[in-house]
Amino acid sequence: MRIGLLTGGGDCPGLNGVIRAAVLEGVRVHGDEFIGYLDGWRGPLERASQPLSVGDVEDILPLGGTILGTSRTNAGRPERIEAIKANLAADRIDALIPIGGEDTLGAAARLAEAGVRCVGVPKTIDNDLSGTDVTFGFTTAVEIATEAVDRARTTSRSHHRGLVVEVMGRHAGWIALHTALAASAAAALIPEVPFSLPDVAAKVRALVAARRDAVVVVAEGAVPRADAIDPEAGRPVDEFGHVQVGGIAHHLAERIAALAGVETRAVVIGHVQRGGTPCAYDRVLTTRLGAAAVEALHRGQTGVMVALQGPDIKTIPLAQAVGTLKTVPPELLAAHAALL
Ligand code: F6P
């Protein structure tokens, strides 16, 4: 089989692990040939690609980012689906493995409907894709963010200050909640549950008075209840209509300082939590997912995504995975309220 691979959307630690495992499995077990399309859907749209051999991939498991590059090119438009189909035929591609999140896999679902054999691999540090217990990159991001909060906490204590640490999570607060729990932070503010600014400020004031530190973890997409913080105003929008988010920590720190009367600073971890080497858990998960995607293609499957379900890697329809986001149930945050 001649298989095309591509990585789309925001990058994520572990993308290279999927690429490596797919190529090793395909070449060694089935005698497949691999083409890597460059920069997400731009690759098959413009026929920008490179051959992928075992030698190209065998050492890339610990490498952050993606050796194929990525972009937020939207392939889902009908004319683009047709163009990609024609280009894949011209490149003699039998099947495609797109590795990406909701947007990349949404386009993969449309391509599969149009007759292209596709098996997707779910990716996002935000962990908000349905149908899989966890997405790779999430565990690494939480490790990085936890270390950042641990470090923020010692300086918060030295100076008797509040600190607001912003992590990624546009629609879902998985990173914020897990980081806050792992680092025993003062609060986790997540997009799913609008927060009360006066309550957060009161908590910071009380904690700084009682134990001299207070670190609040906020997801970039969190929104205050009945308040007018709008960090998205005037921001650029990508091809999928997503507004660039990020920066709420600065607004929040100013408001907390004013309301609590406690000096409060902001830290935005930003892309640091998406860069660098994947943790061991993500290396193993990506290795299993990459190999499973190739096996699914050889079983004749298409229009599906490989997914971690309990101890197993299963396949589920792409449409099911991209239909609804997996957000943090508000009860989960409430259940941990006493621990934050
Ligand atoms: O990949 C998802 C994500 O990490 C979101 O949490 C975040 O809003 C977005 O990517 C940032 O993307 P970019 O790298 O394009 O700024």
Side-chain angles (χ1 to χ4, degrees):
M1 216 181 249
R2 199 167 141 87
I3 301 173
L5 280 167
L6 67 86
T7 53
D11 73 346
C12 184
L15 285 166
N16 288 326
V18 179
I19 296 167
R20 172 181 173 273
V23 173
L24 296 186
E25 179 81 6
V27 171
R28 290 177 179 167
V29 178
H30 301 283
D32 294 331
E33 217 184 308
F34 285 84
I35 294 292
Y37 282 105
L38 306 180
D39 302 340
W41 290 113
R42 184 185 79 78
L45 264 174
E46 298 178 11
R47 291 187 73 191
S49 67
Q50 64 174 64
L52 282 177
S53 67
V54 167
D56 292 324
V57 302
E58 54 193 356
D59 290 334
I60 65 173
L61 184 54
L63 199 64
T66 160
I67 61 164
L68 296 178
T70 186
S71 72
R72 294 195 187 273
T73 303
N74 184 356
R77 303 176 189 165
E79 71 285 2
R80 289 188 172 177
I81 294 286
E82 284 314 307
I84 289 174
K85 214 178 147 182
N87 289 345
L88 293 176
D91 286 343
R92 297 178 291 106
I93 296 294
D94 300 305
L96 201 59
I97 301 181
I99 310 159
E102 187 202 359
D103 299 324
T104 306
L105 297 182
R110 284 193 276 284
L111 264 179
E113 279 162 24
V116 173
R117 194 187 293 188
C118 262
V119 170
V121 179
K123 166 252 45 161
T124 166
I125 63 162
D126 292 358
N127 195 35
D128 58 2
L129 272 176
S130 298
T132 186
D133 293 353
V134 71
T135 50
F136 70 82
F138 167 68
T139 308
T140 302
V142 171
E143 293 285 345
I144 295 166
T146 299
E147 189 188 339
V149 173
D150 285 345
R151 288 176 185 276
R153 186 132 167 224
T154 65
T155 169
S156 163
R157 180 164 293 189
S158 307
H159 291 265
H160 316 176
R161 282 175 181 152
L163 255 166
V164 180
V165 178
E166 178 179 318
V167 296
M168 282 188 173
R170 177 189 293 272
H171 304 294
W174 293 108
I175 299 178
L177 177 60
H178 280 238
T179 300
L181 289 173
S184 61
L189 311 181
I190 64 174
E192 295 86 343
V193 183
F195 61 88
S196 153
L197 200 45
D199 287 358
V200 175
K203 191 158 188 190
V204 168
R205 185 174 49 232
L207 284 177
V208 169
R211 67 175 200 207
R212 299 172 161 206
D213 69 75
V215 182
V216 171
V217 181
V218 61
E220 61 188 355
V223 282
R225 223 186 285 158
D227 198 82
I229 297 179
D230 185 8
E232 293 185 12
R235 292 290 183 85
V237 177
D238 71 13
E239 282 203 9
F240 291 90
H242 303 311
V243 179
Q244 200 180 82
V245 286
I248 190 172
H250 295 286
H251 298 272
L252 208 51
E254 271 176 29
R255 300 291 182 91
I256 291 172
L259 283 171
V262 173
E263 191 184 3
T264 303
R265 300 287 176 86
V267 175
V268 179
I269 308 180
H271 293 81
V272 171
Q273 74 210 278
R274 242 170 54 187
T277 193
C279 66
Y281 178 87
D282 281 330
R283 293 184 196 190
V284 174
L285 179 58
T286 54
T287 297
R288 296 181 70 197
L289 291 170
V294 168
E295 290 306 326
L297 285 175
H298 282 281
R299 282 195 302 271
Q301 290 190 273
T302 182
V304 297
M305 170 186 104
V306 288
L308 179 70
Q309 294 187 349
D312 303 317
I313 304 288
K314 303 227 165 118
T315 52
I316 61 162
L318 277 169
Q320 186 183 322
V322 299
T324 41
L325 281 181
K326 184 181 71 183
T327 51
V328 176
E331 316 79 64
L332 192 62
L333 181 66
H336 293 94
L339 304 175
L340 292 169

